[in-house]
């Protein structure tokens, strides 16, 4: 804990106030649970002040970032004077402390809505939900984002170059909204177990589970698109632990949605849904632990370093795992369990098989992501690569596609196989046609052909079902089936864009056309930095039909971190993307320009007909340098070179580099044996390297600049994005429908309560006017 003098109090005080109000809200709701209904108002007000405290704390950090207040350590670490305003604000979630505050902010605001939808279970739901926020709050108390520096620097360290992208301005906030929403079904489930309300919670939790699915899915979409368009590695998903940390709870959230649907429609899956609600939130906490505790720092480029919060994250996981384990164990026998009498060919049976399949996928991905942690006690700890995830998930994807292709034609009571086959005629015929076309296009792997067949069948079957349901119930009622259509589209896009992409590495000499399959590429020019526009290379691409396009991939060095950054240029068409990513650029040399070489001691380079070896520096004695600096004199450093021409004996040459205390530099050129000149253009004393400029060397000719590119074709990659759009749109339709149903249920409940209250008042009035003897008789009867 920092002392008061080390903290920026306008931001730190609201954090401490939030602790007080959060504990007060917990106390108030605990009183309500013990029967003191008058404490509801106190608990609500305490939670409101808790939320206000978090809002104030977040506002202070945002203002400090926008004002570039480098007194605050967090502002210094993640911002700089050169950053544009939207990146300056995005630094809020660039580091651990700010991202936890953002997560807590969204969680606190969501709690205000949870409180309004919890109904009679408010005390239990809000008590448990507030407890999840207290866990995050104590992380901020432990690692306060408002620590101040002892001295105020003139500039900050700047924002990570990878985060300086417009997609990253909106992607992380949406991700943290999804993380915050994961706690809502958890709170409803634990409250239901606590109150022994085993049937009412599912209807209230269902819209929240759907909303979490939508928000987290949107964040995954934005993150994948950002990686594809910005990072230059040619992909949209690398199975990195940080990526998996959002994917696992999303998959489990899909399972929970289907489980809640089964419970609401058929009274099934009650026990499983309590387990699933706990797993979704535990997946969020476990992913947070893996990526923010530092345990994967050697295995993930996205992983945060350890801030000393590992113990607290482990304690949070232990508490929020122990709670559902204990409650489920205590209430297991009480939870109503419907008998499983579904025929094999029924919607219920297929939904259960589908949820089990998705759960298995989530568990496999969790195991792969945890490999570094599971093997850390071995001699060589390691991680699994993308091939592991692809191989184990392919059979699961085939099973999901099979289930999705059949379930639209099944009923709850069961459907005869002949009827299923009859209704699958047209989707099946289309699927066979598409699979035959894939075979004609050189798709020969049997599993790949089977996935094309089943995914197309799933797409067609669910599209038919979507139209059928929309015609009778409206589009809102068809949202789930429409989401399944999107899954079929995505499966085809995943297969085509990852298994059948074609990549060629090519080096282009400036001005010289180069044939790459049916494309002719010409590196035309290098475009230097212009304002915010980074350095780019212009590449002319001519197709076989004579049409052309211009690509502008970027390759530049970040000014602060000196990292080399590569941004691809992507040209999309309906059937494929042309992905042009820069690898390296060699500037070349014009006629009359010097050849520049950088050598460490003992290294050599060939320049024209000369072999140049750098033997080391010749440096004056230390006392001589001190005297020269004190008297305002010159310090002269020599670069000992050994130069051989055409196999002749090496000649020693010592060009000098002289500088004064005032910063003046002189570097006179020295003549080379056989003609030409050499000059020391700079020295790096710390690394022991010298930079030499040589010109007029015999055999030294002008060379064009060279650009190395990775040219990739990604077939049908648009299906990945379009499919996810359809999935999310279908989920949105379902969410809106469930919210409307929830409001109607609440209105009906209020009407029932009002009717009951009216009947009670009428009965009381009748008792009041009854004869005394009748009232006594009624009292005796109880």
């Amino acid at each position: 804990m920092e002392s008061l003098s080390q903290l920026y109090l306008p931001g730190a005080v609201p954090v401490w106030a939030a602790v007080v109000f959060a504990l007060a809200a917990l106390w108030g709701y605990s009183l309500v649970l013990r029967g003191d209904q008058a404490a509801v108002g106190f608990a609500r007000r305490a939670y409101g002040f808790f939320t206000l405290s978090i809002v104030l704390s977040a506002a202070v950090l945002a203002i400090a970032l926008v004002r570039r207040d480098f007194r605050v350590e967090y502002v210094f670490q993640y911002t700089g004077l050169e950053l544009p305003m939207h990146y300056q604000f995005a630094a809020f979630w660039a580091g651990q402390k700010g991202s936890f505050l953002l997560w807590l902010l969204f969680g606190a605001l969501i709690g205000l809505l949870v409180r309004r939808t919890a109904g009679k279970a408010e005390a239990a739901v809000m008590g448990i939900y507030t407890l999840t926020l207290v866990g995050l709050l104590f992380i901020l108390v432990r690692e306060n984002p408002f620590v101040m520096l002892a001295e105020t620097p003139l500039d900050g360290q700047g924002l990570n170059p990878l985060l300086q992208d417009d997609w990253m301005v909106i992607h992380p906030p949406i991700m943290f909204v999804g993380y915050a929403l994961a706690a809502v079904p958890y709170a409803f489930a634990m409250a239901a177990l606590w109150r022994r309300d085993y049937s009412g919670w599912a209807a209230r939790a269902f819209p929240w589970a759907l909303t979490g699915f939508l928000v987290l899915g949107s964040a995954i979409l934005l993150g994948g698109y950002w990686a594809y368009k910005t990072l230059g590695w040619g992909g949209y998903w690398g199975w990195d632990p940080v990526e998996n940390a959002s994917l696992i709870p999303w998959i489990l959230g899909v399972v929970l949605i289907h489980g809640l649907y089964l419970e609401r429609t058929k009274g099934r899956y009650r026990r499983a849904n309590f387990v699933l609600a706990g797993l979704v939130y535990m997946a969020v906490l476990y992913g947070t632990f893996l990526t923010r505790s530092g345990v994967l720092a050697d295995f993930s480029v996205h992983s945060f370093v350890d801030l000393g919060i590992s113990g607290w994250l482990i304690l949070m996981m232990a508490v929020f795992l122990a709670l559902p384990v204990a409650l489920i164990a205590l209430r297991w026998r009480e939870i109503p369990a419907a008998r499983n009498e579904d025929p094999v060919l029924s919607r219920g049976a297929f939904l259960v098989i589908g949820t089990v399949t998705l759960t298995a996928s989530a568990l496999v991905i969790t195991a792969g992501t945890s490999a570094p942690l599971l093997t850390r006690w071995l001699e060589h700890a390691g991680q699994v690569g993308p091939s592991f995830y692809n191989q184990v998930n392919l059979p699961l994807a085939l099973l999901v596609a099979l289930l999705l292709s059949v379930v639209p034609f099944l009923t709850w009571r069961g459907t005869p196989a002949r009827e299923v086959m009859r209704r699958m005629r047209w989707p099946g015929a289309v699927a066979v046609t598409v699979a035959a076309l894939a075979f004609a296009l050189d798709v020969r792997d049997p599993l790949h052909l089977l996935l094309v067949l089943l995914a197309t069948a799933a797409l067609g079957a669910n599209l038919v079902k979507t139209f059928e349901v929309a015609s009778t119930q409206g589009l809102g009622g068809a949202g789930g089936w429409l989401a399944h259509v999107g899954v079929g589209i995505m499966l085809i896009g995943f297969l085509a864009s990852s298994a059948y992409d074609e990549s060629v590495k090519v080096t282009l000499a400036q001005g010289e056309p180069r044939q790459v399959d049916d494309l002719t590429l010409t590196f035309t020019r290098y475009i230097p930095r212009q304002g915010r526009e980074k350095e780019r290379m212009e590449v002319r691409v001519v197709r076989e039909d004579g049409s052309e396009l211009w690509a502008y991939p970027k390759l530049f060095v970040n000014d602060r971190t000196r990292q080399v950054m590569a941004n691809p240029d992507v040209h999309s068409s309906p059937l494929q993307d042309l992905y042009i990513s820069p690898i390296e650029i060699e500037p070349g040399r014009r006629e009359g320009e010097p050849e520049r070489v950088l050598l460490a001691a003992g290294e050599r380079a060939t320049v024209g007909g000369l072999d140049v070896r750098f033997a080391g520096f010749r440096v004056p004695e230390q006392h001589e340098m001190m005297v020269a600096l004190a008297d305002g004199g010159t310090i002269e450093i020599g670069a000992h070179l050994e130069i051989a021409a055409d196999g002749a004996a090496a000649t020693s040459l010592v060009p000098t580099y002289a500088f004064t205390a005032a910063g003046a530099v002189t570097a006179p050129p020295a003549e080379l044996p056989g003609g030409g000149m050499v000059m020391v253009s700079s020295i790096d004393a710390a690394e022991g390297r010298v930079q030499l400029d040589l010109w007029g060397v015999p055999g030294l000719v002008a060379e064009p600049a060279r650009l190395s590119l990775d040219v990739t074709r990604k077939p049908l990659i648009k299906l990945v994005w379009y499919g996810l759009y359809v999935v999310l749109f279908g989920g949105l339709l379902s969410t809106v429908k469930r919210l409307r149903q929830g409001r109607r249920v609440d209105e009906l409940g209020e009407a029932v309560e009002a009717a009951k209250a009216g009947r009670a008042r009428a009965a009381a009035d009748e008792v009041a006017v009854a004869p005394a003897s009748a009232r006594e008789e009624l009292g005796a009867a109880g």
Side-chain angles (χ1 to χ4, degrees):
M1 293 287 294
E2 293 81 8
S3 65
L4 288 177
S5 61
Q6 294 176 296
L7 293 175
Y8 186 62
L9 293 181
V13 169
V15 172
W16 298 332
V19 174
V20 175
F21 290 126
L23 295 178
L26 288 174
W27 174 251
Y29 282 123
S30 71
L31 292 177
V32 177
L33 290 174
R34 285 183 283 178
D36 184 2
Q37 297 301 318
V40 171
F42 170 78
R44 289 174 177 174
R45 287 190 295 273
Y47 186 85
F49 282 118
F50 158 72
T51 302
L52 179 60
S53 300
I54 297 300
V55 170
L56 289 175
S57 182
V60 170
L61 182 59
I63 292 171
L65 289 165
V66 171
R67 293 183 59 194
R68 297 176 170 88
D69 190 343
F70 298 127
R71 294 177 299 168
V72 180
E73 183 184 44
Y74 189 85
V75 177
F76 166 73
Q77 289 174 333
Y78 297 105
T79 69
L81 294 175
E82 85 289 351
L83 284 179
M85 187 57 66
H86 62 301
Y87 290 156
Q88 194 78 21
F89 183 76
F92 194 120
W93 46 86
Q96 290 239 51
K97 300 176 181 180
S99 58
F100 275 117
L101 178 57
L102 185 69
W103 184 352
L104 184 59
L105 171 66
F106 289 138
L109 293 173
I110 288 170
L112 297 176
L113 299 176
V114 174
R115 190 177 66 189
R116 297 182 60 183
T117 61
K120 293 181 179 179
E122 178 187 340
V125 170
M126 286 302 297
I128 294 169
Y129 183 76
T130 304
L131 190 63
T132 66
L133 299 180
V134 168
L136 298 175
L137 182 58
F138 276 114
I139 290 178
L140 290 181
V141 174
R142 169 69 176 79
E143 294 296 330
N144 200 300
F146 297 101
V147 175
M148 296 183 68
L149 297 170
E151 297 181 0
T152 304
L154 298 177
D155 197 0
Q157 294 178 336
L159 186 64
N160 186 328
L162 292 176
L163 301 181
Q164 294 183 34
D165 183 86
D166 292 346
W167 289 105
M168 291 306 294
V169 175
I170 57 176
H171 162 60
I174 297 175
M175 183 73 71
F176 286 115
V177 173
Y179 284 175
L181 285 168
V184 180
Y186 176 89
F188 273 101
M190 297 306 103
L193 289 169
W194 182 271
R195 300 174 65 246
R196 289 182 164 88
D197 176 19
Y198 304 123
S199 58
W201 77 279
R204 294 188 179 276
F206 196 20
W208 288 105
L210 278 169
T211 305
F213 157 79
L214 285 173
V215 173
L216 202 53
S218 299
I220 291 172
L221 169 66
L222 291 172
Y225 194 72
W226 161 75
Y228 180 67
K229 294 284 287 187
T230 303
L231 297 186
W233 60 279
Y236 46 82
W237 198 262
W239 296 106
D240 184 270
V242 170
E243 296 173 328
N244 294 346
S246 59
L247 178 65
I248 295 167
W250 188 68
I251 294 175
L252 291 173
V254 174
V255 178
L256 177 61
I257 288 169
H258 287 80
L260 292 173
Y261 173 73
L262 272 172
E263 180 173 342
R264 294 181 70 247
T265 55
K266 305 299 291 182
R268 298 274 308 282
Y269 240 60
R270 282 195 175 97
R271 290 175 172 174
N273 285 334
F274 287 118
V275 176
L276 287 169
L279 283 178
V280 172
Y281 187 57
M282 284 306 303
V284 170
L285 293 182
Y286 183 63
T288 302
F289 167 72
L290 285 180
T291 57
R292 294 175 179 271
S293 64
V295 297
L296 298 183
D298 296 332
F299 300 96
S300 171
V301 296
H302 300 114
S303 180
F304 288 87
V305 297
D306 185 13
L307 286 183
I309 61 175
S310 301
W312 185 252
L313 289 172
I314 293 172
L315 179 60
M316 283 182 64
M317 287 192 296
V319 169
F320 293 114
L321 177 62
L323 183 61
V325 168
L327 287 174
I328 291 173
L330 289 171
R331 307 285 197 252
W332 184 262
R333 294 177 181 269
E334 301 176 13
I335 302 173
R339 294 177 62 185
N340 184 6
E341 298 177 351
D342 292 332
V344 175
L345 282 178
S346 67
R347 187 176 298 175
F350 270 53
L351 280 175
V352 171
I353 297 172
T355 57
V356 171
T357 303
L358 289 175
T359 303
S361 175
L363 294 177
V364 166
I365 295 171
T366 302
T369 308
S370 306
L373 191 62
L374 298 174
T375 61
R376 65 184 306 175
W377 290 278
L378 300 179
E379 183 178 355
H380 300 290
Q383 62 180 338
V384 298
S387 60
F388 164 80
Y389 297 101
N390 294 332
Q391 290 172 6
V392 297
N393 279 293
L394 179 57
L396 299 175
L398 289 169
L399 181 55
V400 168
L402 174 62
L403 296 171
L404 290 180
S405 63
V406 178
V407 75
F409 305 127
L410 299 178
T411 63
W412 293 109
R413 295 182 179 180
T415 306
R418 181 178 298 177
E419 176 65 15
V420 174
M421 295 300 293
R422 185 187 68 81
R423 298 201 63 190
M424 284 193 64
R425 285 179 302 171
W426 290 112
V430 173
V432 170
T433 303
V434 172
L437 178 62
F439 184 83
L441 294 173
D442 291 331
V443 178
R444 295 291 189 267
D445 188 296
L447 291 180
H448 291 175
L449 284 171
L450 182 59
L451 183 59
V452 171
L453 177 73
L454 295 177
T456 307
L459 192 165
N462 284 276
L463 191 60
V464 170
K465 189 68 175 182
T466 299
F467 284 115
E468 289 179 356
V469 175
S471 64
T472 58
Q473 302 179 25
L475 191 58
W481 302 110
L482 185 60
H484 292 169
V485 171
V487 174
I489 296 171
M490 288 176 64
L491 288 175
I492 298 173
F494 285 146
L495 177 66
S497 62
S498 59
Y500 294 93
D501 60 340
E502 299 175 353
S503 182
V504 177
K505 290 181 173 57
V506 60
T507 299
L508 305 177
Q510 187 172 358
E512 300 178 12
R514 179 79 181 271
Q515 193 75 22
V516 179
D517 297 328
D518 60 340
L519 303 176
T520 302
L521 279 67
T522 307
F523 170 34
T524 58
R525 60 176 176 146
Y526 172 83
I527 304 175
R529 185 176 304 192
Q530 299 171 345
R532 288 186 55 195
E533 188 68 57
K534 304 298 184 182
E535 296 89 336
R536 318 178 275 166
M537 286 67 68
E538 185 179 74
V539 180
R540 180 172 180 255
V541 182
V542 180
R543 302 185 184 93
E544 198 172 29
D545 60 4
S547 61
E548 67 177 23
L549 59 88
W550 296 87
Y552 294 92
K554 299 176 183 177
L555 193 68
F556 58 94
V557 177
N558 182 266
D559 295 331
R560 290 180 176 271
T561 65
R562 309 313 299 169
Q563 290 176 268
V564 178
M565 307 297 298
N567 296 157
D569 196 352
V570 183
H571 288 263
S572 297
S573 64
L575 296 180
Q576 70 173 9
D577 277 7
L578 179 62
Y579 191 95
I580 300 176
S581 180
I583 301 173
E584 184 182 14
I585 184 169
E586 300 176 7
R589 186 184 62 261
R590 298 178 181 178
E591 190 70 39
E593 286 185 343
E595 174 76 357
R596 177 164 290 177
V597 295
L598 183 65
L599 299 174
E603 291 183 344
R604 61 191 342 122
T606 301
V607 181
L610 297 179
D611 178 78
V612 181
R613 179 179 179 273
F614 173 46
F617 289 113
R618 290 188 176 178
V619 184
E621 296 292 336
Q622 185 173 3
H623 71 277
E624 296 177 359
M625 290 192 291
M626 297 296 293
V627 171
L629 290 174
D631 296 340
T634 300
I635 297 176
E636 188 174 88
I637 297 177
H640 182 197
L641 307 178
E642 296 177 353
I643 300 174
D646 298 327
T651 302
S652 292
L653 194 65
V654 186
T656 60
Y657 185 89
F659 60 91
T660 66
V665 174
T666 57
E671 292 188 10
L672 291 164
M677 308 291 287
V678 62
M679 181 185 76
V680 178
S681 52
S682 71
I683 60 173
D684 185 345
E687 298 291 335
R689 297 187 298 181
V690 64
Q691 181 173 283
L692 304 172
D693 285 354
L694 301 94
W695 65 95
V697 178
L700 189 63
V701 296
E703 294 183 0
R706 297 182 181 275
L707 172 64
S708 296
L709 297 172
D710 191 339
V711 181
T712 305
R713 302 170 194 256
K714 288 196 163 290
L716 302 181
I717 192 171
K718 282 184 175 294
L719 296 184
V720 175
W721 316 122
Y722 293 160
L724 191 50
Y725 294 151
V726 174
V727 169
L728 296 177
F729 182 62
L732 178 61
L733 292 175
S734 294
T735 303
V736 172
K737 179 181 179 181
R738 303 307 172 191
L739 288 173
R740 288 175 177 171
Q741 288 178 342
R743 281 199 297 269
R744 287 198 292 269
V745 170
D746 288 341
E747 291 169 358
L748 180 60
E750 291 173 1
V752 171
E753 292 295 330
K756 289 180 179 179
R759 288 195 295 270
R761 283 194 298 271
D765 291 341
E766 291 178 5
V767 171
V769 299
S773 59
R775 291 199 299 270
E776 291 174 1
E777 185 175 332
L778 182 64

